[in-house]
C-alpha cells in the first residue's frame, strides 16, 4: 500500500535565535535533518521544506505559523511533522524518528 509522504517543515531565519548562539543555523539544521531522515528511512518518501519566518510563502498555514514563531518567541528552528511541533531550537533526531515511526516509517 502506497502511503502519502509525511511532511516535515523547518521554520527558521538567517539570523540565529538569541538563545541558540552555539547551535547550527536553521538552514544547516534543515539540511542535516533532510540527510539524516533520508539515511534512516531510505526508499520511504517524505517531504521536507524550509520556511523563512521573516519571508514565509503565500501559503496561509505556513505564514500563520511563521508569525506564531515570532510572536511567541519560540526557539528556532522549529520543526513541524504533519503540523505537530516535534523540535524547537535544537531538535532531537530521536524525537523526530519516533514521530515518523507513528506514521509507519521503518528504520533500516
Amino acid at each position: 500500500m502506497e502511503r502519502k509522504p509525511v511532511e516535515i517543515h523547518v521554520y527558521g531565519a538567517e539570523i540565529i535565535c538569541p538563545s541558540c548562539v552555539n547551535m547550527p543555523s536553521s538552514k544547516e539544521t534543515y539540511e542535516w535533518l533532510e540527510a539524516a531522515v533520508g539515511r534512516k528511512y531510505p526508499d520511504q518518501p517524505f517531504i521536507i521544506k524550509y520556511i523563512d519566518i521573516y519571508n514565509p510563502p503565500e501559503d496561509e498555514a505556513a505564514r500563520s505559523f511563521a508569525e506564531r514563531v515570532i510572536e511567541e518567541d519560540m526557539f528556532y528552528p522549529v520543526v513541524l511533522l504533519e503540523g505537530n511541533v516535534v523540535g524547537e531550537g535544537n531538535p532531537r533526531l530521536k524525537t523526530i524518528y519516533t514521530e515518523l515511526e507513528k506514521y509507519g516509517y521503518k528504520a533500516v
Side-chain angles (χ1 to χ4, degrees):
M1 183 182 92
E2 193 67 29
R3 72 170 167 268
K4 114 179 175 41
V6 164
E7 283 201 34
I8 302 169
H9 295 168
V10 179
Y11 286 80
E14 291 296 315
I15 31 174
I16 292 177
C17 95
S19 306
C20 310
V21 174
N22 292 321
M23 291 189 245
S25 72
S26 298
K27 199 76 158 176
E28 289 168 333
T29 298
Y30 158 77
E31 290 164 354
W32 162 79
L33 195 55
E34 182 175 36
V37 171
R39 268 193 311 274
K40 180 114 174 150
Y41 305 100
D43 304 320
Q44 296 172 73
F46 63 96
I47 297 166
I48 185 165
K49 294 179 184 169
Y50 175 77
I51 298 162
D52 187 317
I53 59 175
Y54 295 109
N55 190 18
E58 290 301 314
D59 176 76
E60 185 53 43
R63 183 174 293 281
S64 168
F65 192 80
E67 287 170 11
R68 188 175 147 202
V69 171
I70 296 166
E71 286 167 10
E72 295 181 15
D73 284 330
M74 296 172 88
F75 295 133
Y76 50 84
V78 177
V79 180
L80 261 62
L81 198 144
E82 288 296 310
N84 300 311
V85 176
V86 293
E88 198 180 323
N90 190 9
R92 299 179 53 86
L93 277 176
K94 189 173 194 279
T95 307
I96 293 163
Y97 291 161
T98 299
E99 199 63 27
L100 279 166
E101 288 168 10
K102 290 178 187 172
Y103 288 90
Y105 283 72
K106 302 265 186 275
V108 176

